[in-house]
Amino acid sequence: MYRQKQRMTLTAVAVLVPLAAACGSEQADSGSGSVGADQPVTGVHWSIDSVTVDGTTHRAPAGAHVTIGEGGRAEGSFGCNNFSARATVDGDRVRLTDTAATEMACDKVPATFEQTLSRTLSDGELQARTENGRLTLTTGDGDTVRLTEAKDAPLSGTKWTVTTPRADDRAHLTFDEKKGTVAGSLGCNKVNAKATVRDGHITLGPPATTRMMCEDSLMADEKKLLRLFDGTAKYRVDHQTLTLTSENGTSVRAVAER
């Protein structure tokens, strides 16, 4: 049974709270979860386009999404708050149970939209239909959630904002595969270097940087980022997230700027 969430301020700690209880005997499906041979439901990052309830369509805010994993778990965002759930996929039937979500308030995402989407996704068994990179989930009452398969952000030409190390969210990198370069900011100082991309690896040349001084914490994060350069790092793009892991053990995560 759906329980309305209490809204909290943006400074609140993001704690997962249960939204709906599941039957204790229900088992999560760890299979492939394919509705059609060419379009699986599981393992796809689905951007939520809209939810239609009682004939009224509500457009989803940017960032609303869900991914149904092959291990019987679903994770995503209602637009402001993140959520997770147990996922059962049986043919063209999908069921999300034991849903839990954070409790934050965001000015640009109405609480009513999140509540409507949460209720619809948790409203018993959903019939899934996929076609041309689109997914429609329909409840027994005919309400629908429409989604579109989200593509990975391109490595080249994307402004990647570094999240780990944080560098106060000031650090960012942009790769140009045609020129064979990378440029951006380490958080305090600007940086550029040669960058050769090949077979899931990026070979970075010695960095050329400015010589400004900033607060100690920012300079410490900058030193960590500098360890990526003058060496080779593995890279992986997962939707909007870039992970770089250098041979010396340095790990950097960044997100595509929207």
Side-chain angles (χ1 to χ4, degrees):
M1 181 177 181
Y2 177 81
R3 177 172 64 82
Q4 184 174 347
K5 296 177 290 181
Q6 294 180 344
R7 311 302 292 175
M8 298 175 67
T9 64
L10 282 172
T11 57
V13 177
V15 179
L16 288 175
V17 295
L19 294 179
C23 176
S25 62
E26 190 170 36
Q27 297 296 317
D29 184 5
S30 59
S32 63
S34 292
V35 172
D38 299 326
Q39 185 64 66
V41 170
T42 58
V44 177
H45 186 105
W46 296 104
S47 291
I48 298 172
D49 300 323
S50 65
V51 55
T52 301
V53 176
D54 296 331
T56 301
T57 298
H58 309 268
R59 302 300 302 176
H65 69 273
V66 62
T67 300
I68 302 174
E70 296 183 356
R73 297 294 302 175
E75 296 181 343
S77 169
F78 294 131
C80 170
N81 285 282
N82 297 326
F83 71 91
S84 64
R86 294 177 61 198
T88 303
V89 180
D90 184 10
D92 64 350
R93 304 289 172 170
V94 176
R95 183 186 291 269
L96 302 183
T97 55
D98 289 346
T99 306
T102 56
E103 289 189 323
M104 297 187 297
C106 297
D107 293 338
K108 296 182 180 180
V109 181
T112 52
F113 173 83
E114 293 206 323
Q115 292 163 4
T116 299
L117 177 59
S118 173
R119 281 196 300 266
T120 307
L121 288 175
S122 302
D123 188 19
E125 192 174 70
L126 302 167
Q127 182 175 12
R129 179 186 177 190
T130 58
E131 183 178 6
N132 298 326
R134 296 183 180 277
L135 168 65
T136 302
L137 300 174
T138 305
T139 71
D141 293 331
D143 298 331
T144 59
V145 179
R146 289 182 169 81
L147 312 94
T148 302
E149 181 180 2
K151 305 298 183 181
D152 290 340
L155 172 68
S156 180
T158 299
K159 182 178 179 180
W160 296 101
T161 299
V162 176
T163 56
T164 305
R166 291 193 59 82
D168 290 346
D169 295 326
R170 299 183 197 175
H172 57 84
L173 299 171
T174 301
F175 294 89
D176 188 324
E177 288 191 62
K178 289 184 178 180
K179 294 182 179 179
T181 61
V182 62
S185 171
L186 299 170
C188 177
N189 287 284
K190 294 180 179 179
V191 65
N192 64 79
K194 291 184 178 180
T196 302
V197 180
R198 183 180 294 113
D199 300 329
H201 292 76
I202 302 176
T203 300
L204 298 168
T209 69
T210 54
R211 291 290 186 267
M212 296 189 298
M213 293 298 295
C214 297
E215 55 266 35
D216 291 344
S217 61
L218 199 58
M219 296 304 293
D221 287 336
E222 188 163 291
K223 288 180 180 179
K224 294 177 184 177
L225 285 172
L226 281 171
R227 286 172 54 83
L228 274 178
F229 293 86
D230 203 10
T232 299
K234 293 181 181 179
Y235 82 90
R236 182 171 66 91
V237 176
D238 182 9
H239 184 48
Q240 300 291 310
T241 301
L242 169 66
T243 303
L244 297 165
T245 306
S246 70
E247 294 175 335
N248 60 25
T250 301
S251 181
V252 171
R253 288 174 61 86
V255 295
E257 184 170 294
R258 297 183 181 278

